Amino acid sequence: MKTTTFSILLATSLLFRSQIAAKGGEDGAALPRLSLAEVTRFVLENNPAIKEAEHRWRAAIQRVRQAYAWDDPRVAGESRVRRFVDVPPNAFMDQTLAIEQLIPITGKNLVRGRTAAAEAFSTFQEARRAQLDVIAKARGTYFQLANAYDQLEINNKNLTSLKQIADISRSRYEAGLETAANALIAETDYSKLQETRRDLERNLSDAQSQLNTVMNRDAFAPLGPPAGATISATELSASRLRAITLAQRPEVQMARAKIDGEKSKLQLAHRAWIPDPAVSIKGQRYNDAAEAVSELDAGVSFTIPWVNPSKYSAGVREARANLAAAEQGLDREQKEALRLLRDQLTKIETFHHHVELFRDKLVPQGQQAFEATRLSYESGKATFLDWISAQRNLRDIEAMGREHLAHYQTAVAELEAVIGANIYSPSPTVTKESK
């Protein structure tokens, strides 16, 4: 009776596992593999956040031409409607036509153009920031997707291992060499792994949805498994990356553009004291003249800013204060950029240490401990609980090691967004087939 009950429990669990494995195999095998380079290219071409930022930059460029342009000419015309007094012929003019053009001899339009150019450059850096953030998110999601697939593979391997343990424990139980409690421990761990698999499948679905969204695809669109790309990072020299960050990080570039714009505004505030003349030409026709134009006049006019010195002095002081604020803003952005760089390098170094530790020591040691415990159990030198504990330890180490690899890959991908420059290139993993 005990043997029959145990066999039914084991068969039910194995059937459920085979259904889940078949479902996962169908989802992955039916679609072509997705490379990191393809994801990056697709995101650059289709992501709406990147396109929105690019359109804003193109709009800002058009403001530069508008700022450099002269003011529009003014045309004024007058014509007599009715005269209520009698006047001698040619005593008054009946029609007048005048054209007036402001001549920017002080170059205020050129200064406004430089201000607009600085603002357009700042908008371009905003577009770069959007692009860097989206690419970093896409690559990080790609590595999380690869991690989800590998975690499912590790889960499958552990399910197979637990099946073998369950088979051995059942045989020993039938032979009277093992207790029913110990025999059912393997089934309990097996059920826990099935529960964990459901969480892993949810993580896989989340990564697929996020990657589809970043690529501007429907969240439910099918997505193939990752092609197994890794990051070939260059030498992460702190001094080299400091120079790159201070030279190319978008926020630092925007702060420098802000200073250029404020300098132009200060120059414009000083030039506001000097008026630009407006040249006019006026054609007039007298009331009894036969000619189309009886008189042609020319004139010049300009504002008088010197009568309101407090207004323009305040404008100069405002521009100076804004320039000082912009200079402080650049210093703040530089310090913040270096802080982010240091934190990111520390994160990369930490995860890289974890990856090497698990890959070179913990995983091999866990595998050796599991095999040694298995042999000891079969020879009667170790208990069943020792074997199960070794299997659990190996399972946790393998899963944690793969998680650290995903964190390391994501951290390196995020470094590019921090410094604002391309410092690595994705490369495909070398497999046995490629060799």
Side-chain angles (χ1 to χ4, degrees):
M1 181 65 181
K2 292 187 294 181
T3 303
T4 303
T5 303
F6 185 85
S7 300
I8 293 174
L9 290 174
L10 180 61
T12 303
S13 300
L14 293 178
L15 177 61
F16 184 54
R17 179 186 68 84
S18 63
Q19 291 175 346
I20 295 178
K23 180 179 180 297
E26 292 176 0
D27 293 341
L31 297 170
R33 288 190 172 272
L34 190 66
S35 71
L36 181 58
E38 291 173 344
V39 170
T40 303
R41 176 184 57 80
F42 201 92
V43 168
L44 288 174
E45 293 176 354
N46 300 280
N47 184 266
I50 294 178
K51 289 184 175 295
E52 176 187 2
E54 289 176 348
H55 285 303
R56 293 185 184 278
W57 169 53
R58 293 190 181 97
I61 292 176
Q62 302 308 315
R63 291 199 297 268
V64 178
R65 183 182 296 272
Q66 299 173 55
Y68 274 116
W70 286 19
D71 289 346
D72 296 335
R74 296 172 58 88
V75 177
E78 297 179 1
S79 178
R80 176 179 62 85
V81 177
R82 181 177 177 81
R83 185 170 284 125
F84 296 95
V85 296
D86 294 330
V87 297
N90 298 331
F92 288 92
M93 284 169 282
D94 286 353
Q95 287 88 30
T96 301
L97 180 64
I99 299 177
E100 183 181 59
Q101 174 65 59
L102 184 69
I103 309 297
I105 61 174
T106 59
K108 293 187 181 72
N109 61 316
L110 302 180
V111 178
R112 285 193 292 266
R114 289 194 291 270
T115 303
E119 292 173 352
F121 182 75
S122 180
T123 305
F124 170 72
Q125 294 302 325
E126 291 177 359
R128 285 190 63 232
R129 167 50 60 203
Q131 184 183 95
L132 290 167
D133 288 344
V134 171
I135 291 300
K137 181 179 180 180
R139 288 173 173 169
T141 306
Y142 179 89
F143 293 128
Q144 290 300 325
L145 181 63
N147 176 56
Y149 273 103
D150 288 347
Q151 293 289 355
L152 284 172
E153 185 178 350
I154 293 173
N155 183 271
N156 277 336
K157 183 178 68 174
N158 283 287
L159 285 172
T160 302
S161 176
L162 276 176
K163 176 183 179 301
Q164 296 173 351
I165 293 175
D167 290 340
I168 294 174
S169 62
R170 181 180 60 179
S171 299
R172 293 176 64 88
Y173 170 70
E174 292 174 352
L177 301 176
E178 192 62 77
T179 65
N182 287 342
L184 289 174
I185 288 178
E187 286 301 310
T188 302
D189 278 19
Y190 191 88
S191 299
K192 290 181 178 179
L193 276 181
Q194 289 177 335
E195 179 186 14
T196 302
R197 182 178 182 83
R198 296 299 297 176
D199 293 332
L200 295 176
E201 289 174 343
R202 179 181 59 82
N203 294 338
L204 175 64
S205 177
D206 291 345
Q208 288 175 331
S209 300
Q210 292 178 15
L211 193 57
N212 272 327
T213 302
V214 174
M215 296 169 66
N216 199 26
R217 302 172 75 231
D218 188 274
F220 290 90
L223 196 64
T230 59
I231 287 181
S232 299
T234 59
E235 181 64 28
L236 300 180
S237 168
S239 59
R240 172 176 171 268
L241 293 179
R242 279 172 63 101
I244 293 176
T245 302
L246 295 178
Q248 301 190 36
R249 179 172 166 83
E251 285 77 6
V252 176
Q253 294 277 52
M254 283 187 278
R256 291 197 179 100
K258 181 70 172 178
I259 291 178
D260 293 338
E262 294 301 335
K263 286 181 178 179
S264 297
K265 291 179 180 179
L266 177 58
Q267 189 178 15
L268 185 63
H270 283 296
R271 294 190 182 187
W273 287 92
I274 308 172
D276 287 324
V279 178
S280 62
I281 298 177
K282 181 187 296 185
Q284 304 176 97
R285 181 182 177 276
Y286 286 94
N287 56 4
D288 197 31
E291 304 86 7
V293 178
S294 303
E295 183 178 321
L296 187 64
D297 300 326
V300 62
S301 63
F302 51 85
T303 61
I304 306 177
W306 310 288
V307 300
N308 194 4
S310 60
K311 169 185 175 182
Y312 295 96
S313 296
V316 172
R317 291 193 298 270
E318 177 188 6
R320 285 176 178 167
N322 286 332
L323 176 58
E327 291 171 344
Q328 293 298 318
L330 173 61
D331 184 67
R332 174 179 56 82
E333 289 295 345
Q334 289 176 332
K335 297 297 190 300
E336 178 68 11
L338 294 178
R339 181 193 69 81
L340 293 173
L341 174 61
R342 179 182 179 180
D343 292 348
Q344 195 67 24
L345 289 177
T346 303
K347 182 188 297 185
I348 291 173
E349 183 181 358
T350 301
F351 286 134
H352 185 261
H353 171 268
H354 292 340
V355 169
E356 289 187 332
L357 178 64
F358 276 78
R359 181 192 62 200
D360 300 335
K361 291 185 179 180
L362 292 180
V363 172
Q365 290 172 354
Q367 292 172 345
Q368 293 173 2
F370 173 74
E371 289 299 326
T373 308
R374 181 181 66 83
L375 295 175
S376 298
Y377 174 73
E378 291 176 353
S379 62
K381 297 180 180 180
T383 66
F384 180 80
L385 292 179
D386 293 335
W387 191 16
I388 283 292
S389 297
Q391 199 277 339
R392 291 171 182 168
N393 184 58
L394 176 60
R395 179 178 69 219
D396 294 341
I397 288 176
E398 288 179 334
M400 189 177 299
R402 185 58 185 86
E403 193 75 21
H404 285 315
L405 176 60
H407 290 162
Y408 168 71
Q409 293 172 325
T410 302
V412 176
E414 291 172 347
L415 178 62
E416 191 174 90
V418 171
I419 69 174
N422 185 9
I423 61 167
Y424 74 91
S425 59
S427 59
T429 301
V430 178
T431 61
K432 294 180 180 180
E433 290 78 5
S434 63
K435 293 181 179 178

